[in-house]
Amino acid sequence: MKSTKIVMKLIKVTLNFLLLNLSISAFAQKPTDVLVTINDSIYNVADFERLYNKNIDIIADESQKDIDNYFNLYKIYKLRLQNAYALEIDKSPTVEQEFKIYRSELAEKYFINEKELGKLLNEALNRNDYEIKASHILINVDEFAQPADTLKAYNKAIDVRNEILKGLSFENAAVKYSDDLSAKTNNGNLGYFSVFKMVYPFESGAYNTNIGQISMPVRSNFGYHLIKVYNKRETPKTKNIAHILVETKDKNDAEAKKKINDIYKRLEVSDSFYDAAFHFSEDIHTRDKGGDLGIYNEGSLNIDGISDVLYDLNFKDAYSKPFLSQYGWHIVAVTNIKDKPTKDELKANFLRRIKSDSRSKILEKDLMLHLKEMYHFTTNEKNIEETVKLLKREELVNQPTVESNTATEMVLATYSDKKITAKNVLEHIYSFPRQYASVKTDDLLVKKAFDFYSYRKLKEEYNSELETKFPEFAHNLNEYKEGLILFDLLEKNIWNESAKDTIALQNYYETNKEKYIQQANFIGEVYVFNKKSDAKTYNKLLKNNYQVKEADFPMVYKYQGRFYMNDKRLPENLDFNSLGKNVVKYNNNYYVFYIREKKDEHQPTYEEVKSQVLSDYQNQFENQYNQDLINKADIKVNQPILDQLKTKYNKKNLN
């Protein structure tokens, strides 16, 4: 399948008709005035002007800006479209799939509050400048827990926080109270992290808490968190690192300490880090590569103390003093370092991540509220509660059938002129058993399913109305569809058709041989001097194959590559046969030629110019194709209207 970008680029290059965005300028004629009728299809002034105004800046051929010339192109464009639709190219699987993908991409921006998205983007870009060192304590509570359970978890988090404020260390509290099992070994310590490394509510809680402070309970889908922030520092540059390891029996291993210090002295004197690691490191996985550990990302290496040590190494080939970890003594070095990307460079990536991480829930919530208001969404809470009684939880994985009856057809919500019934929600649940099997209670399960199903139906309703609600959306879609089917038409009926007719191609070559005659040319260097003496000396040295230092000669210019005799950089009326033998004077300069390869004017074979022949033949084939369409068409032009357009635009183009 062709990528969207490639297809669009090809359409632009091939047609000169690619449509961009809606922009109809003011004009004397009415937009609905008929300009031309082609095979009973009517095209008005607005359609022509929209195309003309949007393409005027990308038309390379100035003559095509003339209204008469552009009008001829316009007629061919419409005839090609009619031909493509008649051939049902718009119904081909390739076109339909490409169109579906493009519509989905184009529709995306209509489902997002751009202001809210921009706010989240700027926040993420600013947070990316810093990283946070923090610990946390987690009090578990289900995302869809009942209010009483949620309150109970919140109160427990408050009680733990109060106990810490009264003197219990945060680390001990993490071991004692945290529902995060890793707290038993790391005391709740999360190390340093930056934007997108944690779920969004937790990230915000950390970035909004001052150094040394403990946050109020922060709600995430895992439960409530207490966050203690230890430090906030500028995000470091991207570093490739290597290390040397000397293993220890224990932290008091004097022999290991002496060995690492001896290695450090070698580095201080003259040894390269690569050689020192290769010969002395005890890390068998990295020593053969000079200790290479690749790109360092915060938290990617479980080596005590390495984060702080590396943070202070800020130039290539910098290395640390020996430091002790749980594995032994290390020396780390920076083997390469890159500047941090700018905010502009990060924008596209951050936008994608915002739409896919937990921030997306903010955007979804915003859209949900908007759609509920737009479609007058109302719920019947009593019927939602009754639906819980209809749920067959024990049969969930078997995806049971939901019968239609009074109970299952009760209305849970209405929107626009539609309704959501208990049957709809139950069928949705049974269609996705894995998605709902882990939800703890039936109440929560039905609530979660109802919310999800309602959101999906509202989005479907909105999506189906985009063409009518937003004329520019419908317009852009139509433009893209026309571009797709025209490209497919050209590819199948012109380019591919002409390319496979090898006999016609060879006949075209034989008929037009003179077009492909190759001019005399040479490959080499051309040296230009002000002084004749310098040029003669240089020419003599070249002819005798001396190794010449160009810097020792005051050249005006030097050219190199393949040169044809009509090259503007060369003197006029050169004698091709004697080229390279003598210095040539031209316009008060002196030219020296060093010839590596020379070819006289010659007639290339068909195989040698096959690609150019194909291109030329395809152009001829396409022109004939266009002419056939015109000859068969019934075209009626409203000449007075066309004359008014000519007066308007040809005068404007002259100015």
Side-chain angles (χ1 to χ4, degrees):
M1 184 182 296
K2 311 173 193 74
S3 73
T4 298
K5 288 183 179 178
I6 292 174
V7 171
M8 294 304 285
K9 183 177 180 181
L10 284 169
I11 293 168
K12 283 182 180 179
V13 171
T14 308
L15 298 179
N16 273 340
F17 291 118
L18 184 65
L19 314 176
L20 305 175
N21 296 310
L22 182 61
S23 175
I24 302 175
S25 60
F27 42 76
Q29 304 81 13
K30 294 178 183 178
T32 54
D33 282 346
V34 175
L35 175 62
V36 61
T37 303
I38 304 175
N39 297 329
D40 297 326
S41 292
I42 296 172
Y43 302 102
N44 58 30
V45 168
D47 184 68
F48 177 84
E49 287 205 313
R50 172 176 49 77
L51 279 169
Y52 182 79
N53 287 325
K54 296 314 297 181
N55 285 302
I56 194 73
D57 293 332
I58 63 172
I59 294 174
D61 187 347
E62 286 295 320
S63 67
Q64 291 181 8
K65 294 181 180 181
D66 177 84
I67 290 295
D68 277 328
N69 291 336
Y70 193 85
F71 183 60
N72 288 331
L73 294 174
Y74 177 82
K75 288 185 292 184
I76 293 170
Y77 174 65
K78 294 301 183 182
L79 282 167
R80 283 178 172 179
L81 275 176
Q82 290 182 9
N83 186 223
Y85 279 113
L87 295 170
E88 297 189 336
I89 289 176
D90 58 309
K91 297 178 182 178
S92 76
T94 301
V95 169
E96 287 185 340
Q97 181 64 15
E98 286 288 341
F99 181 70
K100 183 179 179 181
I101 291 171
Y102 179 74
R103 189 192 184 284
S104 178
E105 292 174 351
L106 187 64
E108 185 179 339
K109 73 172 186 176
Y110 293 90
F111 287 87
I112 292 176
N113 183 328
E114 293 292 332
K115 185 176 180 181
E116 185 64 34
L117 180 61
K119 179 181 173 184
L120 290 170
L121 174 62
N122 289 330
E123 179 186 70
L125 290 169
N126 291 330
R127 285 180 179 177
N128 189 61
D129 290 337
Y130 299 95
E131 57 184 17
I132 304 288
K133 184 178 183 181
S135 292
H136 85 130
I137 296 169
L138 171 65
I139 307 300
N140 272 339
V141 63
D142 191 273
E143 184 179 6
F144 291 93
Q146 296 291 344
D149 294 330
T150 302
L151 181 60
K152 182 179 177 182
Y154 177 83
N155 287 335
K156 182 178 178 181
I158 289 292
D159 290 341
V160 174
R161 185 175 188 274
N162 289 335
E163 195 171 341
I164 294 169
L165 294 176
K166 290 177 182 178
L168 179 64
S169 72
F170 194 92
E171 294 73 18
N172 288 338
V175 173
K176 185 177 180 180
Y177 295 113
S178 183
D179 291 323
D180 181 350
L181 297 179
S182 66
K184 306 301 179 185
T185 55
N186 65 13
N187 299 331
N189 181 28
L190 299 170
Y192 280 97
F193 57 87
S194 188
V195 66
F196 297 116
K197 299 298 183 184
M198 304 291 177
V199 293
Y200 180 63
F202 186 94
E203 175 195 301
S204 292
Y207 272 89
N208 293 329
T209 300
N210 293 327
I211 295 172
Q213 299 297 307
I214 298 169
S215 71
M216 291 295 288
V218 174
R219 184 74 160 98
S220 78
N221 56 318
F222 299 106
Y224 283 103
H225 306 263
L226 296 175
I227 305 169
K228 181 174 182 180
V229 174
Y230 295 96
N231 194 20
K232 180 180 181 181
R233 67 187 187 188
E234 187 177 344
T235 304
K237 297 177 180 179
T238 301
K239 300 170 183 177
N240 287 71
I241 67 168
H243 84 138
I244 297 168
L245 170 67
V246 175
E247 295 177 341
T248 56
K249 299 171 187 174
D250 55 57
K251 62 182 179 181
N252 296 316
D253 189 338
E255 184 179 342
K257 186 174 182 180
K258 181 179 184 304
K259 183 176 180 180
I260 199 71
N261 284 331
D262 288 342
I263 296 170
Y264 183 75
K265 289 175 184 177
R266 283 177 170 272
L267 294 173
E268 290 284 89
V269 176
S270 61
D271 278 13
S272 71
F273 195 91
Y274 185 98
D275 288 342
F278 183 82
H279 291 293
F280 302 112
S281 180
E282 295 176 4
D283 181 353
I284 61 174
H285 302 292
T286 65
R287 66 185 178 196
D288 289 347
K289 301 181 292 181
D292 181 44
L293 291 169
I295 295 176
Y296 176 73
N297 293 304
E298 187 63 44
S300 61
L301 293 175
N302 182 28
I303 298 175
D304 292 347
I306 195 170
S307 175
D308 290 330
V309 171
L310 280 173
Y311 189 79
D312 293 327
L313 302 178
N314 290 311
F315 57 90
K316 185 181 177 183
D317 298 326
Y319 56 87
S320 72
K321 291 182 178 180
F323 67 95
L324 187 64
S325 80
Q326 71 271 39
Y327 303 109
W329 287 97
H330 303 259
I331 301 172
V332 293
V334 175
T335 57
N336 195 23
I337 192 165
K338 294 181 181 178
D339 287 335
K340 291 183 289 186
T342 65
K343 284 182 167 60
D344 283 340
E345 291 170 338
L346 290 170
K347 277 184 178 179
N349 179 40
F350 274 28
L351 280 171
R352 286 193 297 271
R353 297 177 76 171
I354 287 169
K355 293 173 186 177
S356 61
D357 85 338
S358 51
R359 286 169 175 78
S360 63
K361 291 188 177 181
I362 295 174
L363 300 173
E364 288 176 1
K365 183 178 179 181
D366 183 81
L367 176 63
M368 184 69 163
L369 292 172
H370 174 66
L371 296 181
K372 282 184 174 181
E373 182 178 352
M374 178 186 295
Y375 293 114
H376 308 291
F377 188 86
T378 58
T379 58
N380 187 319
E381 295 297 334
K382 182 179 178 182
N383 286 353
I384 294 174
E385 292 174 7
E386 289 297 316
T387 303
V388 177
K389 300 174 184 177
L390 302 176
L391 179 67
K392 299 176 181 179
R393 182 66 174 256
E394 66 283 355
E395 298 181 33
L396 187 62
V397 294
N398 298 322
Q399 298 179 281
T401 301
V402 183
E403 301 294 337
S404 291
N405 52 50
T406 304
T408 59
E409 293 297 339
M410 64 182 171
V411 177
L412 310 187
T414 59
Y415 63 98
S416 191
D417 59 346
K418 298 178 175 61
K419 60 186 179 181
I420 295 173
T421 67
K423 186 175 187 291
N424 296 145
V425 174
L426 291 169
E427 286 179 335
H428 167 71
I429 293 170
Y430 299 148
S431 297
F432 301 95
R434 292 184 181 180
Q435 182 175 329
Y436 296 107
S438 61
V439 180
K440 293 180 180 178
T441 68
D442 291 355
D443 286 356
L444 289 176
L445 192 157
V446 170
K447 181 180 185 306
K448 184 175 182 180
F450 172 75
D451 288 345
F452 186 91
Y453 183 81
S454 299
Y455 181 54
R456 192 180 77 184
K457 299 308 289 184
L458 286 170
K459 283 181 68 177
E460 288 174 0
E461 182 77 5
Y462 183 58
N463 189 45
S464 69
E465 295 179 354
L466 287 177
E467 283 86 346
T468 55
K469 286 183 178 295
F470 303 100
E472 78 279 7
F473 177 80
H475 183 74
N476 288 337
L477 269 185
N478 186 61
E479 289 175 347
Y480 185 76
K481 185 175 184 179
E482 289 182 352
L484 275 178
I485 65 174
L486 280 174
F487 179 83
D488 215 60
L489 174 76
L490 289 170
E491 185 176 50
K492 292 176 181 176
N493 291 27
I494 297 177
W495 302 331
N496 292 350
E497 196 67 27
S498 57
K500 68 184 181 184
D501 192 345
T502 55
I503 294 175
L505 285 168
Q506 290 178 358
N507 289 338
Y508 182 87
Y509 166 75
E510 293 296 335
T511 306
N512 299 278
K513 264 188 173 183
E514 69 282 354
K515 288 176 59 176
Y516 305 105
I517 292 175
Q518 297 291 310
Q519 295 180 5
N521 65 86
F522 68 91
I523 296 174
E525 288 82 42
V526 180
Y527 305 94
V528 186
F529 296 88
N530 275 326
K531 293 183 179 180
K532 182 178 181 180
S533 58
D534 290 334
K536 292 186 71 174
T537 302
Y538 201 78
N539 188 50
K540 185 176 181 180
L541 291 171
L542 287 176
K543 289 172 70 175
N544 288 284
N545 295 319
Y546 281 103
Q547 294 295 321
V548 183
K549 291 185 178 180
E550 295 178 3
D552 294 338
F553 288 82
M555 296 178 194
V556 180
Y557 306 110
K558 175 190 172 182
Y559 310 120
Q560 61 185 21
R562 183 182 295 275
F563 298 86
Y564 291 90
M565 301 311 291
N566 61 351
D567 194 305
K568 298 294 185 184
R569 296 170 296 178
L570 303 183
E572 294 178 359
N573 302 317
L574 280 172
D575 181 358
F576 186 73
N577 293 324
S578 64
L579 201 63
K581 295 179 180 179
N582 301 306
V583 173
V584 176
K585 182 182 179 182
Y586 180 72
N587 285 348
N588 297 320
N589 284 325
Y590 297 88
Y591 289 74
V592 174
F593 298 87
Y594 184 72
I595 310 300
R596 299 182 183 276
E597 182 183 326
K598 185 190 290 187
K599 282 189 177 181
D600 292 319
E601 181 177 280
H602 67 286
Q603 178 71 58
T605 66
Y606 168 72
E607 289 298 327
E608 289 175 322
V609 291
K610 188 175 180 179
S611 61
Q612 183 59 47
V613 172
L614 175 60
S615 176
D616 293 341
Y617 179 69
Q618 283 180 333
N619 286 336
Q620 176 183 280
F621 191 92
E622 185 175 344
N623 289 336
Q624 186 59 53
Y625 189 91
N626 294 338
Q627 192 59 50
D628 289 345
L629 290 176
I630 292 172
N631 292 341
K632 295 174 184 176
D634 180 16
I635 302 174
K636 297 182 178 67
V637 180
N638 188 336
Q639 195 61 45
I641 294 294
L642 181 60
D643 289 341
Q644 290 179 43
L645 289 170
K646 286 159 64 175
T647 301
K648 174 182 176 180
Y649 284 105
N650 289 343
K651 182 178 179 181
K652 183 185 292 186
N653 291 334
L654 286 174
N655 295 333

